[in-house]
Amino acid sequence: MIQSLRYYLSEHPSIISFRWSDSQSWGNTWVFLFISIAAYIIFSIFLHLFLLLLFRNRRPLPLGPIPAVHSLSMALISFTIFAGILLSAAAEIRDTRWFWRRYKTTPFQWLLCFPLGTRPSGRVFFWSYIFYLSRFLHTFRTFFTIICRRKLSFYRLFNHSILIFMSFLWLEFSQSFQVLAIILTTSIYSVVYGYRFWTALGLPSKCFHFVNHCQIVLLGCNVICHVGVLLLHFLRGGCNGIGAWVLNSVLNGAILFLFLNFYVKLHLEKKRKIGSGKESGETLYSVKDKDI
């Protein structure tokens, strides 16, 4: 069974022969990227305004098991991508041992810094492409939040749009660091969406803000890895796709700033309510509105 999983996740011919191109990759053009992001933003705003006009009392609309099914699906997809890219990275390292001896590098350095001239083809880029497609499924949480809670935040729109944009850059420019980024992100997403599925079934939730703490861990790991990419770029003569990496770093910095700004404000508000003796479950619930 383990051999079968390894074959279907890293040794299948369609995975090994993958190439980021018009003939093999749906949604690989800049036009598609910008149209899809614009459509997501416009439809989200339209849905939000339409429901506000139609239901002025802001009563939530029940979606039944749909959010739970979506959370379970995303948890399974994230875990599959995690397992696939982990096995694919191990296979790539196994098949290119000669490269490490010739260029005096290590597999960990390769995970952070692709050699100059790397092309978007092969195992790890196949899973990078699947990760890119999964970002579109991730945006459905925005629509669930609008329908159920009548909430639409700039952070949510910005975060989901940037995630799609960055995953496109990874493929388009064979950007360094993407393998580790996908491993970290999908591992966190598997846990978070599993937790959301658990709570959607009505089972007990954690007393602390589980989703937000997971995002802090993910953002912290990203910052550390970005520092490692920068050091390797200057110490080892360059990393592939460094221009896209710089833009990626700026966008990640913007997401980090917006999230920390939100997080600090909520904790200050929580302390103020504790001091006044008026804290309620509403604040604890609102913290979970931040999405990753």
Side-chain angles (χ1 to χ4, degrees), residues 183-200:
I183 290 174
L184 291 171
T185 303
T186 52
S187 61
I188 294 292
Y189 275 31
S190 300
V191 175
V192 167
Y193 276 105
Y195 172 77
R196 283 173 174 156
F197 174 69
W198 175 274
T199 56

Side-chain angles (χ1 to χ4, degrees), residues 76-88:
L76 295 175
I77 291 171
S78 298
F79 182 76
T80 301
I81 296 174
F82 169 78
I85 198 164
L86 200 64
L87 291 173
S88 295

